[in-house]
């Protein structure tokens, strides 16, 4: 499911970066970033809610009952997409300001935090808590981006 959300982000990205790169004044950029965050959250929130509500049914239809233990993991990970929907458009401000070093540093830190959290949570709690790992890493990335 995360792959489908990434597909949504990638699809929006091509239009968003083109649109935002044409803007010159800070107020227009801020308004466009805020609009993009609202747009992403408007698209992704109903998907997340439906996913959380129907995860049991989806698992039963697509897989066997052996996979029912991943329900909590998937539901929690889906909440992390809300935070990605906030931090993702904000990161593009750095590209606009030709601060590619900060942009790639943030991307690297985000991926590194996710990797470390995934390893730590898997070793400590097992597969069931990997969703918490993703949620926490996205919250941290959002906080770092806002700073």
């Amino acid at each position: 499911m995360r792959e489908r959300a990434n597909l949504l982000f990638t699809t929006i990205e091509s239009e968003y970066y083109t649109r935002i790169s044409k803007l010159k004044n800070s107020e227009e950029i801020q308004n466009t970033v805020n609009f993009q965050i609202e747009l992403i959250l408007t698209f992704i929130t109903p998907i997340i809610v439906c996913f959380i509500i129907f995860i049991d049914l989806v698992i039963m239809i697509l897989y066997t009952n052996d996979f029912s233990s991943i329900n909590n993991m998937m539901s929690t990970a889906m909440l992390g997409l809300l935070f990605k929907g906030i931090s993702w458009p904000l990161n593009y401000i750095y590209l606009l300001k030709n601060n590619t070093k900060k942009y790639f540093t943030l991307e690297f830190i985000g991926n590194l935090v996710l990797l470390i959290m995934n390893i730590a949570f898997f070793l400590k709690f097992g597969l069931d808590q990997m969703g918490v790992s993703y949620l926490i890493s996205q919250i941290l990335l959002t906080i770092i981006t806002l700073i």
Side-chain angles (χ1 to χ4, degrees):
M1 190 59 153
R2 198 175 110 206
E3 289 80 20
R4 286 176 181 58
N6 284 336
L7 179 63
L8 174 69
F9 286 116
T10 303
T11 303
I12 293 173
E13 175 182 29
S14 58
E15 183 275 330
Y16 172 61
Y17 186 71
T18 304
R19 182 169 31 103
I20 200 169
S21 64
K22 295 176 184 175
L23 303 176
K24 301 294 181 211
N25 119 15
S26 293
E27 187 177 330
E28 287 178 329
I29 292 171
Q30 188 61 45
N31 288 338
T32 302
V33 169
N34 288 339
F35 174 76
Q36 193 68 31
I37 291 170
E38 288 176 24
L39 181 71
I40 289 171
L41 294 179
T42 300
F43 274 114
I44 208 148
T45 301
I47 294 169
I48 291 170
V49 170
C50 287
F51 185 84
I52 291 171
I53 291 171
F54 297 111
I55 183 67
D56 292 329
L57 180 62
V58 171
I59 296 294
M60 280 183 4
I61 291 171
L62 298 178
Y63 303 105
T64 66
N65 284 338
D66 296 338
F67 287 90
S68 63
S69 64
I70 67 167
N71 294 2
N72 289 337
M73 176 192 75
M74 295 299 293
S75 297
T76 309
M78 291 300 289
L79 294 175
L81 292 176
L82 290 173
F83 291 95
K84 183 173 183 165
I86 296 168
S87 65
W88 179 80
L90 292 171
N91 283 340
Y92 279 88
I93 293 173
Y94 300 116
L95 288 178
L96 279 179
K97 295 180 179 181
N98 288 326
N99 195 347
T100 55
K101 184 177 179 182
K102 185 156 188 173
Y103 172 80
F104 285 112
T105 301
L106 283 172
E107 289 294 313
F108 176 76
I109 289 171
N111 287 320
L112 185 62
V113 166
L114 179 60
L115 176 66
I116 291 169
M117 299 279 296
N118 281 343
I119 292 170
F121 271 69
F122 181 76
L123 293 175
K124 180 92 172 151
F125 305 109
L127 187 62
D128 293 346
Q129 297 301 315
M130 294 291 285
V132 176
S133 161
Y134 182 75
L135 175 61
I136 292 171
S137 68
Q138 290 303 315
I139 291 171
L140 290 174
L141 182 59
T142 301
I143 291 169
I144 291 168
T145 303
L146 289 171
I147 293 176

